[in-house]
Amino acid sequence: MSVVAITSTINSSPSWMNNNGDSCHSLRENSASFSRRSSNISLLRKVCCGAKSTDDDYHATIKSLNSRGRFPRKSLGQHYMLNSDINDQLAAAAKVKEGDFVLEIGPGTGSLTNVLLNLGASVLAIDKDPHMVDLVRERFAGSDKFKVLHEDFVKSHIRSHMLSFLETRNLSHPDFALAKVVSNLPFNISTDVVKLLLPMGDIFSHVVLLLQDEAALRLVEPALRTSEYRPINILVNFYSEPEYNFRVPRENFFPRPKVDAAVVTFKLKHPRDYPDVSSTKSFFSLVNSAFNGKRKMLRKSLQHLSSSPEIEKALGVAGLPVTSRPEELTLGDFVKLHNDLKMSSSSLERTRAEVGLLVVYLNKAEARDKICRAIQYGSKFVSDGQPGTAQNVDKSTSLARKVFRLFKFVNDLHALISPVPKGTPLPLALLGKSKNALLSTFLFLDQIVWLNRTGIYKNKERAELLGRISLFCWMGSSACTSLVELGELGRLSASIKKLEKEIGNKDKHQNEQYRAKLQRSNERSLALIKAGMDFVVAFGLLQLAPKKVTPRVTGAFGFASSLISCYQVLLFMTTLFLTFI
């Protein structure tokens, strides 16, 4: 069925795909306008004008697709190259030679891969389509210079992959040059790929991509004071020296896209050659902020970073009018502006950020509750349950904390009725739901205790009974939390061990995925310790073993647990705050 469908598509394709004189005439007309830069680049003469067919002409491409029963998928942006000449020119633009290491994104049927391997390069290919992965793996099974990964490139940990391959390569080729990227990209991911690859000048020397023609022109030749001038242009020139090589008419692809393509070379700068800025993160934050209000003057659009007088002064130092707009600034202008603003406000900005973080932290009710909790149990530790000032502080703080927890039971009630994450084992899911149910009940009943202490609810005996039930619920929820954290730590440990085998111990601390898993493991270990301490505190408040778990012991465990809670909230708020400043 798939063979018939693809054959039908070929028969309905433009006339250049049929072997007759009219098709050659039509193709020559298309060839006349082939390139803006290179008038001597040949088109498909080999394919349609009687020259010798190559291994990867359109017949071979269609045959490869039919062998897998595959149709090009629009959702993946698949347009297969039918002209081997273009693949040769892609490799030539990157100056691929014997011994090079090349990354290819989206190898498709392997036509470009074949050219790269024939030139003596080692190739690492990445493709999201499992069928194409199987096709090229089978096609180049006999080559020890080829490896293919089934991954979505924009979500893959490409730096860790490359470092792993390059370290292995270093052992046998100590004098190797940096790797290269040569790829016929799906048009729908071109911008994401450019943003990911260009900052890797310590790994790649050249990135040669076949992009949509209009996108290529916007990246390489944007003019100041035009709508095409965007933050991506600053990024491209910050990290590389771009060059538009030549245009590739749409007739060279199957299926034929609606637009022409073009080959662009990005000669990557090594990190030591980047423009001199104190922080690339703050530099691009400034650039993005400036373009968010593209038609606004910079003294207005950057007000959240510095005051208008400071911005005007920095513009003057950079030799720019105080009425400047972002579309009027070159890369060098942005560098000067950034550095002048950082120099004039670095210490003030740091102080402002630190104070701002403290304000955000203190304004969060959860943080105030945890601080009061530390005071409460610290006082209990000091008083050891004996009357006096410390005990008065303990009781008054305990009562004040209940105000912070009004309606907080709704949070755990929502978690109780929400679906569990996919892949969670049934025992852990049940324990998690039990924890939510018990904690929600504890917080709800605790509000009745507060109403009794304020005199609103008069039934003292029932309030005391509900208070004990609430503490048992808290103790149960702490036990469930401990079991959940133990189970999740076990799953994380197995996942980390598996990842260590894949990447090797030498590279594990450079692997982003490994570091993220290790951080989650540390966070869960801390949560496990806190849950265990909370269990002891609830046990002590219930006076189930008053001789062993005295008020002083209860206070000590409660104080330590409160400090952990304060740290957890601070860690969360710091991450959130740094994301937005």
Side-chain angles (χ1 to χ4, degrees):
M1 181 176 178
S2 60
V3 175
V4 174
I6 292 182
T7 304
S8 174
T9 305
I10 298 172
N11 291 336
S12 62
S13 295
S15 60
W16 65 269
M17 295 180 71
N18 301 314
N19 293 323
N20 56 49
D22 293 338
S23 66
C24 290
H25 177 71
S26 174
L27 181 60
R28 290 191 188 98
E29 289 179 353
N30 286 330
S31 300
S33 60
F34 173 67
S35 174
R36 292 183 174 86
R37 299 291 181 84
S38 305
S39 60
N40 60 342
I41 296 175
S42 61
L43 275 174
L44 295 174
R45 288 192 294 269
K46 288 185 179 180
V47 177
C48 65
C49 294
K52 183 179 179 180
S53 177
T54 63
D55 291 338
D56 284 292
D57 59 13
Y58 72 89
H59 294 296
T61 299
I62 301 305
K63 184 178 179 181
S64 294
L65 292 173
N66 279 332
S67 70
R68 295 280 168 178
R70 297 300 295 160
F71 295 93
R73 294 174 60 186
K74 186 177 180 180
S75 63
L76 296 179
Q78 291 175 332
H79 297 280
Y80 298 104
M81 174 57 63
L82 302 175
N83 185 353
S84 291
D85 284 348
I86 304 299
N87 289 329
D88 291 336
Q89 292 162 32
L90 268 167
K95 302 177 182 178
V96 176
K97 59 185 183 302
E98 179 82 29
D100 279 350
F101 189 93
V102 179
L103 170 68
E104 184 184 3
I105 304 160
T109 59
S111 59
L112 176 58
T113 314
N114 190 45
V115 171
L116 298 171
L117 291 173
N118 287 339
L119 289 171
S122 298
V123 178
L124 169 65
I126 295 181
D127 204 310
K128 186 178 180 179
D129 189 337
H131 300 279
M132 295 297 100
V133 169
D134 291 340
L135 191 154
V136 293
R137 183 179 285 136
E138 180 181 322
R139 176 174 179 177
F140 302 110
S143 174
D144 59 355
K145 291 186 175 184
F146 177 75
K147 183 176 179 65
V148 61
L149 301 176
H150 173 213
E151 291 186 15
D152 182 350
F153 179 80
V154 297
K155 297 179 181 178
S156 68
H157 299 281
I158 187 59
R159 177 174 286 276
S160 60
H161 285 321
M162 291 304 301
L163 288 173
S164 176
F165 283 110
L166 292 177
E167 182 174 340
T168 304
R169 180 175 169 77
N170 239 335
L171 298 176
S172 55
H173 298 82
D175 299 325
F176 85 101
L178 294 175
K180 298 175 180 178
V181 181
V182 185
S183 183
N184 171 10
L185 280 184
F187 292 163
N188 58 353
I189 64 168
S190 57
T191 301
D192 292 332
V193 171
V194 167
K195 289 180 179 179
L196 283 169
L197 290 177
L198 296 198
M200 296 188 187
D202 57 330
I203 295 178
F204 301 108
S205 61
H206 291 78
V207 174
V208 179
L209 304 176
L210 200 158
L211 309 171
Q212 182 179 338
D213 187 44
E214 291 182 1
L217 287 170
R218 283 198 300 267
L219 289 174
V220 178
E221 297 181 342
L224 292 175
R225 300 180 179 84
T226 65
S227 60
E228 304 300 330
Y229 193 58
R230 301 174 183 177
I232 187 69
N233 301 120
I234 304 297
L235 182 142
V236 165
N237 286 281
F238 187 96
Y239 289 115
S240 72
E241 296 174 6
E243 179 184 356
Y244 182 106
N245 296 106
F246 55 88
R247 184 170 64 90
V248 180
R250 64 196 77 178
E251 291 82 6
N252 288 277
F253 299 92
F254 174 75
R256 187 170 73 168
K258 297 179 180 179
V259 294
D260 293 335
V263 173
V264 177
T265 298
F266 302 93
K267 183 180 179 183
L268 301 197
K269 299 175 185 177
H270 193 275
R272 61 174 174 267
D273 299 322
Y274 293 162
D276 186 17
V277 294
S278 57
S279 166
T280 54
K281 182 179 179 180
S282 65
F283 173 75
F284 284 109
S285 175
L286 180 144
V287 171
N288 290 328
S289 296
F291 278 92
N292 280 340
K294 190 170 182 179
R295 294 302 306 160
K296 291 183 179 180
M297 289 184 238
L298 291 168
R299 63 186 181 188
K300 296 290 185 182
S301 59
L302 299 180
Q303 275 185 330
H304 64 290
L305 299 177
S306 294
S307 64
S308 292
E310 288 174 336
I311 297 169
E312 290 179 2
K313 181 180 177 183
L315 287 168
V317 172
L320 299 168
V322 295
T323 57
S324 294
R325 291 178 169 81
E327 62 189 22
E328 299 170 354
L329 273 64
T330 63
L331 169 62
D333 293 333
F334 273 112
V335 169
K336 290 178 183 177
L337 178 61
H338 170 268
N339 290 344
D340 288 334
L341 285 175
K342 293 296 288 183
M343 287 176 63
S344 63
S345 61
S346 57
S347 58
L348 177 61
E349 183 180 330
R350 191 181 303 111
T351 304
R352 187 187 298 146
E354 291 170 353
V355 174
L357 175 59
L358 181 60
V359 170
V360 171
Y361 181 74
L362 292 176
N363 282 344
K364 189 174 177 62
E366 188 75 11
R368 291 176 183 252
D369 178 38
K370 302 310 177 187
I371 293 171
C372 288
R373 188 177 191 264
I375 295 172
Q376 174 193 346
Y377 286 105
S379 302
K380 184 179 287 293
F381 173 78
V382 173
S383 71
D384 194 20
Q386 301 303 314
T389 303
Q391 190 182 64
N392 292 337
V393 173
D394 172 17
K395 290 181 178 179
S396 62
T397 310
S398 174
L399 187 61
R401 282 188 59 223
K402 297 185 187 301
V403 178
F404 289 114
R405 297 195 300 227
L406 284 176
F407 303 109
K408 191 177 176 182
F409 70 93
V410 176
N411 293 348
D412 288 280
L413 184 62
H414 179 264
L416 177 63
I417 62 177
S418 298
V420 296
K422 290 183 179 180
T424 304
L426 181 60
L428 291 183
L430 292 175
L431 281 169
K433 293 301 181 183
S434 300
K435 177 195 76 171
N436 296 139
L438 289 167
L439 195 56
S440 180
T441 304
F442 158 66
L443 291 168
F444 177 76
L445 295 178
D446 198 46
Q447 294 181 96
I448 299 177
V449 175
W450 172 73
L451 290 173
N452 174 256
R453 290 189 183 181
T454 57
I456 298 174
Y457 182 69
K458 303 295 184 180
N459 194 328
K460 185 176 180 181
E461 291 182 358
R462 183 170 294 178
E464 288 179 353
L465 175 62
L466 293 176
R468 285 188 66 80
I469 293 173
S470 72
L471 288 174
F472 274 110
C473 289
W474 182 34
M475 189 167 67
S477 72
S478 298
C480 290
T481 301
S482 299
L483 294 173
V484 168
E485 296 302 337
L486 279 171
E488 292 293 350
L489 278 170
R491 295 176 67 201
L492 265 174
S493 178
S495 176
I496 289 173
K497 287 180 180 178
K498 182 180 178 181
L499 186 60
E500 283 178 341
K501 290 181 181 179
E502 292 177 358
I503 64 178
N505 288 329
K506 292 182 180 179
D507 299 321
K508 63 183 182 181
H509 291 292
Q510 297 176 344
N511 186 287
E512 294 177 11
Q513 189 178 359
Y514 177 84
R515 292 201 301 269
K517 288 179 180 291
L518 194 62
Q519 183 179 351
R520 288 201 299 273
S521 177
N522 293 336
E523 290 171 355
R524 288 197 174 276
S525 298
L526 194 61
L528 174 62
I529 294 171
K530 179 186 177 302
M533 289 182 171
D534 285 341
F535 183 88
V536 174
V537 173
F539 193 87
L541 292 175
L542 286 165
Q543 295 184 332
L544 299 178
K547 292 184 178 180
K548 293 184 178 180
V549 187
T550 64
R552 179 155 285 176
V553 172
T554 303
F557 275 83
F559 182 72
S561 171
S562 301
L563 292 181
I564 293 175
S565 296
C566 288
Y567 171 75
Q568 289 174 325
V569 176
L570 178 63
L571 190 64
F572 170 76
M573 292 305 299
T574 302
T575 304
L576 188 65
F577 185 76
L578 291 176
T579 303
F580 290 99
I581 63 170

